[in-house]
Amino acid sequence: MGDRTAFRTCPLCEALCGLELTLDGAGVVKRVRGDRNDPFSKGFICPKGATLGSLDGDPDRLTEALVLDGDAAPAAGSRPPAHIPAGWDGAFEIVRRELTRLIAEHGKDSVAVYIGNPTAHSVAGPLYAGAIVKALGTRNFYTASTADQMPKHVSCGHMFGDPLAIPVPDLDRTDHLLMLGANPLESNGSLCSAPDFPGRLKAIQARGGKVTVVDPRRTRTAALADEHLFIRPGTDAYLLIALVHTLFAEDLATTAEHLAGRVNGLDDLRALAVDFPPERVASVTGIPAAVIRRTARELAAAGRAAVYGRIGTCTQAYGTLNSWLVDVLNVLTGNLDRPGGAMFPRPAHAPVYRRKRPFTTGRWRSRVRGLPEVNGELPVATLADEIETPGEGRIRALITIGGNPVLSAPNGERLDRALAGLDFMVSVDPYLNETTRHAHVILPPPRPAQTPHYDLALLGLAVRNYARYSPPIVPPADGRPSEAELLARLAMITSGAGSDPAALDEMIIRTTLEKATALEASPVHGREPDELRKMLDTGTLTEQRLDMMLRLGPYGDGFGADPSGLTLTRLRTEHAHGVDLGALDPRLDEVLCTTSGRVELCPPTFAADVDRLHSALADTAPTGLVLIGRRHLRSNNSWLHNVPELVRGSNTCTLQLNPADAARLGIAAGDTVRVVSRTGAVEAVAEPTDTVMAGVVSLPHGWGHDRPGTRTGVAAKHAGVNVNAVTDEMRIDPLSGNAVFNGVPVTLEPL
Ligand SMILES: Nc1nc2c(c(=O)[nH]1)N[C@H]1C(S)=C(S)[C@@H](COP(=O)(O)OP(=O)(O)OC[C@H]3O[C@@H](n4cnc5c(=O)[nH]c(N)nc54)[C@H](O)[C@@H]3O)O[C@H]1N2
Ligand SMILES: Nc1nc2c(c(=O)[nH]1)N[C@H]1C(S)=C(S)[C@@H](COP(=O)(O)OP(=O)(O)OC[C@H]3O[C@@H](n4cnc5c(=O)[nH]c(N)nc54)[C@H](O)[C@@H]3O)O[C@H]1N2
Ligand code: SF4
Ligand SMILES: [Mo]
């Protein structure tokens, strides 16, 4: 058989690029290019997408269920544990037996769930992970969100009523972008899905607009920008509130016509900002007062402007305040919900029914540190506490799905030791890595080419309304469960309702259709659920569920109500390269669901947290070095270091520091340096560079692949060190529980 071409969405990052793959007769991916016919990505591709074939064909990828040989869990650093193949049924039987036993002996909360980043990129994750947590009934639910964007959910939850109503900068129509703590030239964008983000930034400049970047490093994005402001790590909230101050003080805050009468809390906000004139925050942020004032004026003067803050602003002690103030600026400059400003996408799979329950946090608290629940989750920063601390309610078992918290959670080394002490652990993961080596059972999903794709979690964050479905391009191997089947089976086991994964989908389809037909606002109001059930796509249950969501969605066919509307079949056959559903349009009314029915500009919990800003401002000026992270284009958190093409070139785990600091400490390029913090120490090779501001050092995360018991041969040869050995699990943003990765106090010891 000769070569063939297939198309699909890249599953690796938030940019959602369309790919064109060339496969040989045996189904091996030989070449990957950008799909020029994708209306959104138009052929754009990055080095990760281009090497998807190597990832897909990685010989270290697990192909069968593994179980730990013998009873003992591996102790960190001791005898390498041995994982041996087991049949799928045998592996699931061990999971059933152990979870049932532990729940009977120690209660529901003794089983915890941790869900990692790739789960937000898979179609199976959003469809089934929630069902597992629900079936378990555990309050010990953790995700990578509390190491990432949880502050944004909290700010949007309080401001707009819905933690998922996250406005994105309307990149293609804005004339002015103020971007803080984001480096899309390396990351390709986050909470803002925009294939060819670099090209879209250049287009802003080409049409006469301005891009300003605020970052403690002169990143590639900062270098491309028209202006770069170096900022001291962790101080964005001061800059942002001083911008708010300036807008009020200079009478630049507008209540644009379209927002008139739809915003609460303007006076409270003005009163809060009074104490933060630019002069007061200049020394703490490192940004001159005159520059802050000018930045505020430019923002107000720009016709269409957007403020966008990403991970650098979230993973700090003031993560929620930052996320809130970013959108406050969008409101005050009249740019929320208008073209060229910050807008709410309208994804094809989400019905436009409004959330009813007002947003709240702290419905329960973590057992050991008393940290509030947020979005149904507890902070990953306290997972080790809950495993290690004896007493009623202690975590005895853990389910991980697509996560590597040993490398991604704050003080991951402590978590590494804690995992070794669990009674039972099961991981749904394609690799035997730093985290899954502790699992008693590993259930690997099939390779990307055998996996369907639809971005349930990300299409609601795209800068154009767009949809694309990618069926598997290589048929699944005989008898090998898809990730959807793995997760559905786990949910069935934990609910005690048998082991037939199809039963779960049938139940979800039935309840969704019953709800939709009962709802007056729905296009299928008054119809028979049974009739609709029979109309669904004839594919897998995953495809039937997607079909149902699309047909009930804003562009859907409403099960025949609008014969030209979207169905999964149509998406698959008529739009194999994806379908453009238009530029973002104003839809604040559709998303707004605060109790007041207005945008809450000054929620009381946020106003109260501004006290923290006050007291810290009174402190003496910061001294000593602080650590921040960085991302490289050829990486993706912890798990692409096993692809040979990606661990070359600039993708290295070095310690960047300012030449002035290096000279002061007697450190030369290439020296090995010990980085010491409250929690631990790591050794890394020094790379002096003036792209990092004085007083700041930077190490990328996701490295540290030199542990026994893992099976990632390439990564082990490029091990690097785990920066999260020195980040501190005790430092969190109190409102969201989010980990603080930026601004960690460290000392350096030249070796
Ligand atoms: N190549 C690659 N792409 C990725 C990933 C990857 O690992 N590699 N990871 C994916 C994931 S999970 C995510 S969440 C996204 C993240 O996407 P981005 O948010 O764009 O992530 P980063 O590239 O880490 O950019 C964060 C920037 O914040 C800066 N920063 C650090 N501290 C501060 C601070 O206190 N204030 C300010 N203003 N800036 C600060 C850092 O120097 C860095 O340049 O990227 C995704 N894409
Ligand atoms: N110091 C520091 N720490 C950080 C960050 C930082 O900037 N600095 N960034 C944080 C951020 S933004 C994030 S999102 C987290 C990420 O935190 P995690 O999600 O915990 O870590 P990842 O490295 O993304 O691990 C992904 C895991 O999923 C597996 N996997 C890959 N594909 C699939 C799949 O299709 N299905 C399944 N089931 N598994 C799969 C991989 O083998 C790997 O084990 O890290 C956080 N940690
Ligand atoms: S930018 Fe992201 S989605 Fe696009 S090819 Fe690269 S990894 Fe894939
Ligand atoms: Mo992330």
Side-chain angles (χ1 to χ4, degrees):
M1 243 200 294
D3 290 355
R4 67 186 169 99
T5 305
F7 298 91
R8 62 162 294 146
T9 302
C10 177
L12 296 178
C13 92
E14 297 178 46
L16 314 176
C17 300
L19 302 179
E20 178 194 309
L21 293 84
T22 308
L23 298 103
D24 69 14
V28 174
V29 179
K30 290 171 58 183
R31 191 180 65 186
V32 185
R33 296 196 298 196
D35 178 1
R36 274 163 302 156
N37 293 318
D38 183 301
F40 196 26
S41 63
K42 298 184 174 143
F44 181 81
I45 189 169
C46 85
K48 288 187 285 181
T51 52
L52 187 68
S54 297
L55 181 72
D56 193 66
D58 185 347
D60 282 337
R61 181 176 278 277
L62 304 177
T63 55
E64 49 196 339
L66 297 185
V67 298
L68 200 58
D69 192 14
D71 286 326
S78 73
R79 164 187 77 83
H83 280 92
I84 54 169
W88 295 100
D89 287 341
F92 272 107
E93 177 50 26
I94 296 173
V95 176
R96 193 200 56 77
R97 188 190 68 210
E98 291 304 303
L99 293 183
T100 313
R101 178 178 69 81
L102 288 166
I103 292 171
E105 282 173 26
H106 303 288
K108 294 173 175 177
D109 292 334
S110 68
V111 181
V113 178
Y114 174 83
I115 292 179
N117 173 274
T119 312
H121 296 261
S122 74
V123 68
L127 286 182
Y128 300 95
I132 294 175
V133 179
K134 205 163 158 197
L136 283 168
T138 179
R139 289 184 162 185
N140 276 309
F141 177 40
Y142 303 81
T143 80
S145 293
T146 51
D148 187 345
Q149 82 289 358
M150 192 57 93
K152 198 72 206 177
H153 293 307
V154 175
S155 83
C156 292
H158 282 302
M159 290 183 81
F160 310 123
D162 182 350
L164 296 177
I166 297 176
V168 302
D170 186 9
L171 290 184
D172 297 345
R173 290 180 291 182
T174 197
D175 295 326
H176 188 96
L177 182 66
L178 174 60
M179 180 161 36
L180 305 95
N183 184 12
L185 264 75
E186 310 268 8
S187 71
N188 280 300
S190 179
L191 296 189
C192 175
S193 285
D196 193 13
F197 208 124
R200 290 172 203 264
L201 292 180
K202 287 177 199 154
I204 296 175
Q205 297 173 316
R207 59 178 178 264
K210 177 170 182 180
V211 177
T212 300
V213 168
V214 181
D215 199 302
R217 296 188 302 126
R218 188 172 63 250
T219 59
R220 284 178 55 208
T221 308
L224 175 135
D226 300 276
E227 184 170 9
H228 168 219
L229 308 178
F230 278 111
I231 188 168
R232 281 227 173 76
T235 66
D236 297 74
Y238 292 104
L239 167 66
L240 291 164
I241 203 163
L243 291 171
V244 171
H245 173 102
T246 309
L247 291 179
F248 280 125
E250 303 192 3
D251 219 11
L252 298 171
T254 68
T255 6
E257 216 175 294
H258 72 289
L259 294 174
R262 298 166 83 187
V263 174
N264 267 349
L266 209 61
D267 292 335
D268 293 341
L269 183 71
R270 188 196 316 260
L272 269 186
V274 163
D275 291 339
F276 298 93
E279 288 70 21
R280 270 199 85 187
V281 307
S283 64
V284 62
T285 57
I287 303 177
V291 174
I292 298 176
R293 284 188 196 284
R294 176 172 55 76
T295 303
R297 288 175 198 145
E298 286 176 0
L299 197 59
R304 301 178 294 183
V307 185
Y308 164 64
R310 202 36 297 263
I311 191 111
T313 62
C314 281
T315 51
Q316 332 180 339
Y318 300 112
T320 303
L321 291 188
N322 290 335
S323 298
W324 162 58
L325 291 166
V326 160
D327 284 327
V328 161
L329 288 170
N330 284 322
V331 172
L332 292 183
T333 54
N335 283 302
L336 184 78
D337 200 38
R338 85 167 173 203
M343 304 191 76
F344 300 97
R346 187 191 281 111
H349 59 269
V352 189
Y353 316 141
R354 245 179 282 168
R355 191 188 145 95
K356 298 250 168 49
R357 204 162 21 91
F359 177 74
T360 157
T361 64
R363 289 169 295 170
W364 59 87
R365 288 187 172 262
S366 70
R367 181 179 62 105
V368 180
R369 278 159 67 185
L371 302 177
E373 155 278 335
V374 177
N375 241 1
E377 302 181 22
L378 293 173
V380 68
T382 195
L383 179 54
D385 299 312
E386 296 294 331
I387 297 173
E388 286 172 348
T389 312
E392 180 132 351
R394 173 183 184 173
I395 294 174
R396 312 271 175 161
L398 176 67
I399 301 173
T400 71
I401 304 169
N404 193 2
V406 167
L407 298 191
S408 63
N411 199 352
E413 298 298 320
R414 178 179 168 201
L415 196 57
D416 191 30
R417 295 187 295 273
L419 297 184
L422 284 168
D423 289 354
F424 183 67
M425 177 166 157
V426 50
S427 295
V428 180
D429 202 291
Y431 284 107
L432 180 41
N433 64 17
E434 299 74 19
T435 293
T436 61
R437 73 191 180 117
H438 294 296
H440 299 80
V441 175
I442 305 177
L443 305 167
R447 60 192 175 105
Q450 292 174 317
T451 303
H453 193 84
Y454 179 92
D455 281 286
L456 285 164
L458 300 172
L459 286 167
L461 296 161
V463 298
R464 282 189 76 85
N465 293 316
Y466 159 88
R468 180 166 180 158
Y469 174 68
S470 315
I473 56 181
V474 175
D478 274 348
R480 174 128 191 226
S482 66
E483 179 149 22
E485 284 160 347
L486 290 176
L487 298 185
R489 201 161 163 186
L490 272 181
M492 293 308 284
I493 283 183
T494 49
S495 71
S499 64
D500 175 17
L504 177 69
D505 292 288
E506 287 300 346
M507 192 188 70
I508 294 172
I509 290 172
R510 165 141 292 275
T511 35
T512 309
L513 291 177
E514 278 170 1
K515 266 192 213 153
T517 50
L519 213 72
E520 225 160 303
S522 156
V524 294
H525 176 65
R527 292 173 64 182
E528 277 303 316
D530 279 342
E531 175 220 340
L532 306 185
R533 175 72 190 86
K534 289 189 196 115
M535 291 172 75
L536 288 179
D537 192 273
T538 52
T540 61
L541 283 158
T542 295
E543 289 172 327
Q544 293 181 32
R545 282 181 65 187
L546 282 179
D547 188 37
M548 173 177 71
M549 295 165 91
L550 289 169
R551 299 176 85 165
L552 294 173
Y555 316 89
D557 84 332
F559 288 84
D562 172 7
S564 65
L566 268 190
T567 64
L568 187 72
T569 313
R570 183 160 285 151
L571 199 52
R572 190 170 35 193
T573 54
E574 291 168 31
H575 306 291
H577 302 277
V579 58
D580 181 37
L581 300 165
L584 306 185
D585 54 351
R587 61 178 302 240
L588 186 59
D589 278 341
E590 277 172 21
V591 304
L592 200 57
C593 52
T594 50
T595 316
S596 64
R598 294 176 174 209
V599 175
E600 293 295 347
L601 216 48
C602 195
T605 38
F606 299 174
D609 201 35
V610 171
D611 285 349
R612 257 192 326 137
L613 275 182
H614 266 290
S615 14
L617 194 56
D619 286 346
T620 43
T623 53
L625 294 172
V626 290
L627 173 75
I628 63 170
R630 70 178 187 270
R631 282 176 163 76
H632 293 138
L633 185 61
R634 292 163 179 268
S635 80
N636 196 19
N637 299 330
S638 75
W639 67 281
L640 289 190
H641 299 146
N642 212 50
V643 176
E645 297 92 323
L646 297 181
V647 281
R648 289 186 196 138
S650 62
N651 185 14
T652 51
C653 185
T654 55
L655 180 80
Q656 293 187 339
L657 75 170
N658 187 275
D661 290 320
R664 186 171 49 83
L665 296 165
I667 296 168
D671 286 357
T672 300
V673 180
R674 206 171 141 80
V675 185
V676 186
S677 77
R678 183 194 77 82
T679 57
V682 290
E683 289 173 14
V685 171
E687 183 190 346
T689 162
D690 68 359
T691 58
V692 177
M693 73 190 286
V696 177
V697 300
S698 165
L699 262 178
H701 72 284
W703 297 88
H705 304 297
D706 51 356
R707 284 154 224 249
T710 56
R711 208 178 287 170
T712 48
V714 177
K717 289 197 198 97
H718 304 265
V721 292
N722 183 7
V723 67
N724 285 321
V726 291
T727 57
D728 191 338
E729 81 280 26
M730 299 310 284
R731 294 184 70 220
I732 56 168
D733 166 35
L735 294 182
S736 64
N738 209 81
V740 174
F741 293 127
N742 294 324
V744 180
V746 292
T747 53
L748 300 189
E749 298 168 5
L751 290 179

